[in-house]
Amino acid sequence: MRKVIQKVLNILAKKSIEKEFPEAVQDVRDYAKKSGTTGTQWITLWMSVRKIKKYKPAWILESGTGSSTLVLAATVAHLRKIHPNYDGKIISMESMEEWYESAIKNLPEKYNDIVEIVYGPREKYEMSMFRGYIHSNIPQKDYSFILIDGPAFQDEQGISFCADLFKIMEFTKSNVIHGVSDGRASSVWVIQQIYGKKFVRYWHSVFAASFSLPKINAMEATLNTPKHFQTMPNGSLEFIKFRKNKISDN
Ligand SMILES: C[S@@+](CC[C@H](N)C(=O)[O-])C[C@H]1O[C@@H](n2cnc3c(N)ncnc32)[C@H](O)[C@@H]1O
């Protein structure tokens, strides 16, 4: 049943994108043929298009380059056309040299002014009780949107999570990060542990999650268990330090 719902939602999402950006859907087809990319779900792409149109981020970080880059770029190009003051840019990070070379070769020239593809081999990222992987070499920009679709988060110790979202919180001046995660349940689980479920939901039939998160420093040296954890009447423990954060800006 889950797979049927997911398939239908993907068809609807693709139709919605095709209606808005017919050229982008053709570009994705061409790109997939040339690069052999695993691609991103249409559901995830549609969630991203909607968020980008709503919040008009000046800097977008894409974690995991590929056909998705073309849909993000088409959205930014559209916004630039209708809002002359908007000058959105995309930094697209790729952790594997082979896929980086392929992406550089296959990115349509019309997006050269919007997208910069950066090679950043994955590196470990430790954050409070969590361990994950980030792309190295992320240019320090004021990101306010992220599409999480990389890097690989499995290693000899098992699964970790994709941590670029928290890496960019170290330097972006934006107080809120909007974003979407394609699959990557462990990454969404970490977000839920820190912010609570109200900030991000992961539906089984969607295999994706959309969020808007106030910037935090999850590595604060003052964090401690008596003060920042709460015991619930049913005996469960919740890490509550960042649960009360509100979205106050952009
Ligand atoms: C899910 S893929 C990213 C897909 C990308 N967002 C897209 O829409 O095409 C995650 C990572 O897998 C790697 N990758 C890309 N294409 C691949 C392929 N055909 N086979 C294996 N790994 C691939 C790359 O490192 C990529 O960043």
Side-chain angles (χ1 to χ4, degrees):
M1 188 60 181
R2 193 269 297 165
K3 282 194 177 157
V4 176
I5 298 174
Q6 192 177 2
K7 201 168 176 185
V8 171
L9 291 175
N10 264 308
I11 292 170
L12 293 175
K14 184 179 176 191
K15 277 198 167 126
S16 302
I17 294 178
E18 197 154 31
K19 200 166 150 200
E20 232 172 298
F21 310 121
E23 216 182 306
V25 175
Q26 189 52 48
D27 284 346
V28 167
R29 268 190 215 114
D30 295 344
Y31 186 96
K33 266 189 229 150
K34 285 186 271 185
S35 71
T37 178
T38 49
T40 302
Q41 291 192 97
W42 290 104
I43 298 170
T44 308
L45 295 174
W46 180 234
M47 285 168 142
S48 302
V49 168
R50 279 174 35 195
K51 281 232 159 201
I52 293 170
K53 282 178 71 181
K54 182 166 178 189
Y55 296 108
K56 300 179 193 62
W59 287 97
I60 291 171
L61 183 73
E62 182 182 43
S63 298
T65 311
S67 50
S68 50
T69 314
L70 307 175
V71 175
L72 301 188
T75 312
V76 169
H78 165 78
L79 286 175
R80 280 186 180 192
K81 212 189 253 173
I82 58 173
H83 300 287
N85 293 332
Y86 176 70
D87 188 32
K89 294 233 181 340
I90 301 168
I91 301 288
S92 183
M93 298 301 306
E94 179 47 56
S95 61
M96 291 166 73
E97 200 167 5
E98 179 190 355
W99 302 115
Y100 166 75
E101 297 294 348
S102 162
I104 290 280
K105 211 167 63 201
N106 293 313
L107 182 78
E109 230 171 75
K110 63 185 171 190
Y111 293 137
N112 282 353
D113 177 40
I114 294 177
V115 180
E116 185 187 345
I117 301 174
V118 178
Y119 175 50
R122 75 171 187 167
E123 71 185 27
K124 280 190 182 170
Y125 188 75
E126 290 179 340
M127 179 185 93
S128 200
M129 298 86 72
F130 307 100
R131 69 174 200 101
Y133 278 94
I134 57 170
H135 288 91
S136 52
N137 304 328
I138 299 177
Q140 296 210 355
K141 307 290 184 190
D142 290 327
Y143 302 106
S144 56
F145 181 90
I146 180 168
L147 172 57
I148 306 175
D149 201 14
F153 54 91
Q154 208 129 11
D155 63 17
E156 59 286 351
Q157 266 111 22
I159 55 165
S160 69
F161 79 107
C162 298
D164 282 352
L165 164 69
F166 294 98
K167 178 67 193 172
I168 63 177
M169 285 189 190
E170 290 179 17
F171 54 79
T172 179
K173 290 195 190 81
S174 183
N175 289 327
V176 178
I177 316 288
H178 306 283
V180 178
S181 174
D182 189 57
R184 288 160 211 277
S186 63
S187 308
V188 179
W189 179 81
V190 171
I191 299 171
Q192 283 191 348
Q193 298 312 304
I194 293 174
Y195 288 91
K197 294 183 193 75
K198 270 195 288 186
F199 277 88
V200 65
R201 303 269 172 187
Y202 189 92
W203 306 111
H204 196 49
S205 49
V206 174
F207 256 55
S210 149
F211 51 82
S212 292
L213 305 171
K215 185 169 71 172
I216 56 159
N217 174 9
M219 295 194 264
E220 262 180 45
T222 56
L223 288 175
N224 65 65
T225 55
K227 204 161 125 207
H228 297 128
F229 281 76
Q230 192 171 41
T231 49
M232 299 298 165
N234 65 358
S236 74
L237 272 169
E238 301 272 338
F239 177 47
I240 54 159
K241 162 70 180 169
F242 301 108
R243 296 288 170 99
K244 293 198 179 78
N245 284 34
K246 294 250 169 12
I247 293 178
S248 58
D249 196 3
N250 56 26

